[in-house]
Structure formats: structure tokens, C-alpha cells
Amino acid sequence: MKMIILLGLGLALLTVMWSRMGQAAEVPQVGQLAPDFALPDQSGKLQKLADFRGKWLVLYFYPKDETPHCTTEACQFRDDIFKIRALGAEVIGVSVDNTESHAEFARKHGLPFPLLADRNGLVAARYGSNY
């Protein structure tokens, strides 16, 4: 019985390791094209990676609107937006929250950049983010 349990645990561990190795292979590397996306922002406008072609883009992923760390991070981007734009870059936040949640979060904290709703987390996964 112990042998079967250990064998089962070993197979489960190999499966997890194999799936993570497969995910890591899909994460974009320096010099590769960024994975394309088309997601709605807090106002319902569809934002596409192609819309930012020829510009620098700060694309950040976060777990959830209104959590302490995520709010601090978003507000830091807000506070530095003029410096970021002076460097020729734009900022976009991405999480699995819906557009309504993003609209409230952006309004409450005066966020001057799009927050994209990646409801199924597929875009985050393509970029190697756990969020």
C-alpha cells in the first residue's frame, strides 16, 4: 500500500514538474515578440497590443483590485505617470477582475491608464504571470 501511495505521489510530482516546464517554455524571452492580446479595459474599450506598436509599454499583471499591494503598485504607477510618459512609455495593468471592478478601482484611485480584464487568465499565462 505504501508503495502505491509513493508511486502515486511521484507521478503527481512529475506531472506538476512537466506542466511547469511546458509553461516556462512558452514564456516570452528577451528579444522575442510579446504575445498578442485584445482585452477590454475599464470603460469597455478593446485594447490590443498592436495599438501600442512603436511605443514602449509597461504591461503589469496583478492579482486583484483593492488588495493592499496591488493598490500600492497601481498608485505608484499613477504617481510616476508623467515620468513614464516622458520616457515615451505607456502603462497598462492586467488582472482577472471584471471591467466594472476595474472601473471602480481606477475611479477611486485616479488611475490614468487602462486596466484590462483578463477574465480567464489566458493572457497572464502567455506572459508567464501567475495572476
Side-chain angles (χ1 to χ4, degrees), residues 82-105:
F82 293 113
K83 293 176 191 172
I84 293 167
R85 288 183 176 156
L87 294 170
E90 293 294 329
V91 174
I92 294 179
V94 181
S95 87
V96 296
D97 288 319
N98 62 38
T99 56
E100 294 81 14
S101 177
H102 285 335
E104 177 61 22
F105 185 54

Side-chain angles (χ1 to χ4, degrees), residues 37-59:
F37 63 80
L39 295 170
D41 67 14
Q42 66 265 37
S43 64
K45 179 183 176 194
L46 194 63
Q47 300 275 347
K48 301 177 211 161
L49 180 61
D51 298 337
F52 299 92
R53 185 164 289 135
K55 299 177 184 177
W56 290 100
L57 181 62
V58 177
L59 184 65

Side-chain angles (χ1 to χ4, degrees), residues 5-108:
I5 292 172
L6 289 175
L7 182 59
L9 289 173
L11 288 174
L13 181 60
L14 284 174
T15 302
V16 169
M17 288 173 55
W18 181 261
S19 74
R20 287 191 179 167
M21 285 172 44
Q23 288 174 352
E26 297 175 18
V27 174
Q29 301 299 309
V30 173
Q32 288 183 324
L33 290 177
D36 198 20
F37 63 80
L39 295 170
D41 67 14
Q42 66 265 37
S43 64
K45 179 183 176 194
L46 194 63
Q47 300 275 347
K48 301 177 211 161
L49 180 61
D51 298 337
F52 299 92
R53 185 164 289 135
K55 299 177 184 177
W56 290 100
L57 181 62
V58 177
L59 184 65
Y60 79 98
F61 296 88
Y62 65 101
K64 189 145 185 63
D65 295 336
E66 295 299 343
T67 57
H69 181 72
C70 298
T71 301
T72 300
E73 182 177 39
C75 290
Q76 188 65 58
F77 281 122
R78 176 202 63 206
D79 295 347
D80 291 337
I81 197 69
F82 293 113
K83 293 176 191 172
I84 293 167
R85 288 183 176 156
L87 294 170
E90 293 294 329
V91 174
I92 294 179
V94 181
S95 87
V96 296
D97 288 319
N98 62 38
T99 56
E100 294 81 14
S101 177
H102 285 335
E104 177 61 22
F105 185 54
R107 185 201 58 73
K108 181 177 178 181

